[in-house]
Amino acid sequence: MTRNPVGKLLLFGATGDLSQRMLLPSLFNLHADGLLPEGLTITGTARSDHDDASFREFAAKALDTFLPEDRKKPEWIDGFLKRLQYQALDASSTEGFPALAEKVGDVSDGLAIYLSTAPSLFESTIKGLESVGLAGDTVRIGLEKPLGYDLASSKEINDAVGFGFPEERTFRIDHYLGKETVQNILALRFGNFFFEPIWNAHGIDNVQITIAETVGLEDRAGYYEGAGALRDMVQNHILQLLALVAMEPPARYDGTAIRDEKAKVFRSLRLMTPEEVPHNTVTGQYVDGAVGGKIVGSYADELGKPSKTETFVAIKAHVDNWRWQGVPFYLRTGKRMATRRSEIAIQFKPVPHSMFAGRGGILQPNTLIIRLQPEEYIQLLVMAKEPGLDREGLRLREVPLNLSLDAEFAGTRRRIAYERLLLDLIEGDQTLFVRRDEVEAQWTWIDAIRAGWNANDVKPKTYPSGSWGPSAAIALTERDGVTWQDD
């Protein structure tokens, strides 16, 4: 696509945790590698009372804390800090926006805005930007989630953003789409011929998507209690992964073609009726247990009060189209799980007839595992003969064929997902950002599940911290003869 880099970047929430851990280090890495436009200035803004000098000190401390040692070259850091400036702002009022506009300066050479603020501030922020000429044709905006808590609130937010920024200048961020392994799903599917003929209901038995975290609430109690696992992880990250697995081949690699195909998947997700929801979903909440050998408390203890918020959810979903009819998609996410893991497991159908029956070894269906984190690899489980003379019969065993991205590309630095997304925002490439119709189709499906929970008064089942969730999640798959990929 034609890239159209801007000359200025405006960073809302510039003193927050996300900025320190991800945004400033990502922008620094782009600067150090010579990928930022020459002369690009970065204006930070937040409520915090900084001037240019103290914000640069703040940024330098963040870089020292979160960058690896081999990236801390003084000349790189000094050059990056010179790009930074700061203007304090209370985004709930339009009063401070004239000073912000003056600080940013002329935007005729293009401005990219990264908005990492509470959604309740979106409308006032957009109005403030509009009032001082920071929402014109040369300005694009990136939005960090959460974008609502249901379809109605999502539409309200999108309407507010659309007041100042049309769809072609709006970049909705899901940081999972910036991960190398996530993009490798597209390369694996559409860059290799041998997968496509069996990438459908004829060749695939089921798909499992797991995002498991070992952490608890940390510092997100206020947000998480109002969101829960379904809104926090399934509505965005997991459904985006599902779409990449299930989408039809796009005509070309560009933002319109790829997002068109993802939107079709979301519209094809089978909506659950209130009667179906209890049979196709499991919710849980962690209680006391041990994670990594350390005793940890319950969600209620961390929150400081009893709660009905789910910290775990498992779902049996279906995509009602020609390619996927009858193939279950098992989705699972939770906090305080046994291990930290994000992966997609695609289990193919068994061979129609085994010539090895009674000859030692049971044939296992082939499984393709795409691990996103903490390691990054693609693994295909296949059946192979055990070495030996086979005097008592030929023996077969399941063995992995591994492609470790960490090992195969060992000479290439593994980039933070936000590096790619920030660079694409600066250059105007929407391919890895989420379109409004995608978001609203996702919320439509999620809202039906929540309506079913409410109608049936579903309460989360408890599960010990350090486990794989409630036992009901195991039953969700095993009644179909399927086992979660937990090895």
Side-chain angles (χ1 to χ4, degrees):
M1 65 162 289
T2 302
R3 294 184 179 270
N4 181 27
V6 297
K8 293 179 170 64
L9 175 65
L10 174 57
L11 196 63
F12 280 80
T15 59
D17 182 65
L18 179 67
S19 178
Q20 294 177 69
R21 289 185 298 107
M22 295 292 177
L23 305 183
L24 289 170
S26 294
L27 289 167
F28 166 81
N29 283 326
L30 294 173
H31 164 84
D33 294 339
L35 296 172
L36 291 182
E38 185 176 354
L40 176 84
T41 60
I42 302 170
T43 304
T45 186
R47 288 177 181 266
S48 304
D49 188 17
H50 282 291
D51 57 17
D52 292 352
S54 64
F55 180 62
R56 288 169 181 160
E57 291 176 6
F58 171 88
K61 184 177 179 180
L63 298 179
D64 186 59
T65 303
F66 294 105
L67 284 177
E69 289 300 320
D70 63 342
R71 301 291 290 176
K72 297 179 183 178
K73 294 187 178 181
E75 63 272 23
W76 290 353
I77 293 176
D78 289 345
F80 175 69
L81 295 179
K82 289 177 182 176
R83 292 181 181 267
L84 303 183
Q85 57 184 19
Y86 185 86
Q87 178 65 45
L89 176 73
D90 177 1
S92 65
S93 167
T94 58
E95 293 179 4
F97 279 88
L100 178 65
E102 183 178 354
K103 192 73 174 185
V104 170
D106 179 25
V107 296
S108 60
D109 57 349
L111 170 68
I113 300 172
Y114 187 100
L115 194 58
S116 178
T117 60
S120 59
L121 294 175
F122 280 9
E123 185 172 0
S124 61
T125 301
I126 300 300
K127 288 181 178 178
L129 293 169
E130 273 268 306
S131 69
V132 294
L134 293 181
D137 292 341
T138 63
V139 184
R140 60 185 69 123
I141 192 166
L143 307 172
E144 185 67 53
K145 75 160 190 143
L147 296 178
Y149 56 87
D150 59 11
L151 178 60
S153 60
S154 177
K155 285 184 173 181
E156 187 176 341
I157 289 171
N158 281 318
D159 287 344
V161 174
F163 177 76
F165 297 89
E167 189 64 33
E168 64 270 17
R169 291 193 280 116
T170 300
F171 293 65
R172 295 175 191 83
I173 294 160
D174 185 329
H175 74 267
Y176 258 65
L177 296 180
K179 292 179 179 290
E180 287 284 355
T181 323
V182 172
Q183 293 157 60
N184 250 311
I185 298 171
L186 298 178
L188 187 73
R189 285 195 58 193
F190 305 125
N192 299 283
F193 176 78
F194 58 89
F195 279 121
E196 183 57 26
I198 58 171
W199 203 272
N200 50 47
H202 296 294
I204 291 176
D205 181 82
N206 68 84
V207 177
Q208 300 176 24
I209 302 177
T210 295
I211 299 180
E213 301 177 286
T214 55
V215 298
L217 279 181
E218 296 182 298
D219 59 351
R220 302 176 71 218
Y223 162 73
Y224 198 86
E225 175 61 10
L230 185 68
R231 289 170 171 146
D232 184 47
M233 296 298 287
V234 179
Q235 185 274 330
N236 41 77
H237 303 328
I238 288 184
L239 287 186
Q240 284 291 324
L241 295 179
L242 183 153
L244 294 177
V245 171
M247 65 194 281
E248 296 296 319
R252 62 192 63 83
Y253 186 84
D254 68 32
T256 299
I258 288 177
R259 296 189 299 174
D260 281 349
E261 298 304 335
K262 285 196 297 171
K264 291 177 187 177
V265 173
F266 296 135
R267 288 194 290 268
S268 298
L269 280 170
R270 183 186 301 172
L271 289 178
M272 296 184 206
T273 66
E275 294 77 18
E276 292 171 328
V277 168
H279 302 289
N280 291 290
T281 68
V282 175
T283 65
Q285 186 182 108
Y286 63 82
V287 294
D288 299 356
V291 178
K294 180 182 178 182
I295 301 298
V296 296
S298 67
Y299 176 81
D301 288 341
E302 290 184 34
L303 188 63
K305 62 181 180 180
S307 170
K308 294 181 181 180
T309 297
E310 80 281 359
T311 62
F312 172 95
V313 63
I315 303 171
K316 179 182 176 181
H318 287 90
V319 178
D320 282 339
N321 60 20
W322 192 305
R323 181 183 290 265
W324 296 109
Q325 193 60 41
V327 178
F329 285 73
Y330 299 104
L331 317 176
R332 176 178 61 166
T333 186
K335 289 187 173 295
R336 293 291 191 211
M337 302 287 278
T339 60
R340 176 174 173 256
R341 176 188 300 173
S342 296
E343 74 176 22
I344 301 165
I346 298 163
Q347 184 176 304
F348 294 94
K349 290 188 173 177
V351 295
H353 169 73
S354 173
M355 60 179 278
F356 305 104
R359 301 285 292 174
I362 300 174
L363 289 185
Q364 300 295 329
N366 302 129
T367 302
L368 178 68
I369 299 173
I370 304 170
R371 177 68 62 85
L372 310 177
Q373 64 183 25
E375 312 92 347
E376 291 185 302
Y377 63 73
I378 298 169
Q379 183 182 83
L380 181 63
L381 302 180
V382 300
M383 299 304 296
K385 174 187 172 298
E386 288 188 359
L389 297 176
D390 312 317
R391 302 289 288 173
E392 298 179 0
L394 184 146
R395 299 191 65 83
L396 302 180
R397 183 161 60 98
E398 189 176 60
V399 298
L401 300 178
N402 284 315
L403 168 60
S404 169
L405 299 181
D406 293 332
E408 191 67 28
F409 302 105
T412 305
R413 184 174 65 82
R414 310 302 292 165
R415 292 192 176 275
I416 304 169
Y418 279 98
E419 291 182 43
R420 179 181 300 275
L421 297 176
L422 284 166
L423 185 59
D424 284 352
L425 171 62
I426 290 167
E427 295 184 337
D429 183 349
Q430 289 188 312
T431 304
L432 299 179
F433 295 84
V434 183
R435 207 166 58 192
R436 175 171 181 164
D437 59 337
E438 292 181 66
V439 174
E440 294 182 355
Q442 289 170 285
W443 275 122
T444 299
W445 190 73
I446 292 294
D447 284 356
I449 294 175
R450 294 202 65 87
W453 288 350
N454 292 333
N456 292 279
D457 194 24
V458 172
K459 297 180 177 62
K461 304 176 186 299
T462 60
Y463 64 94
S465 293
S467 71
W468 281 106
S471 58
I474 300 174
L476 180 69
T477 59
E478 290 198 341
R479 66 176 176 240
D480 297 332
V482 176
T483 302
W484 287 107
Q485 187 75 33
D486 286 341
D487 297 334

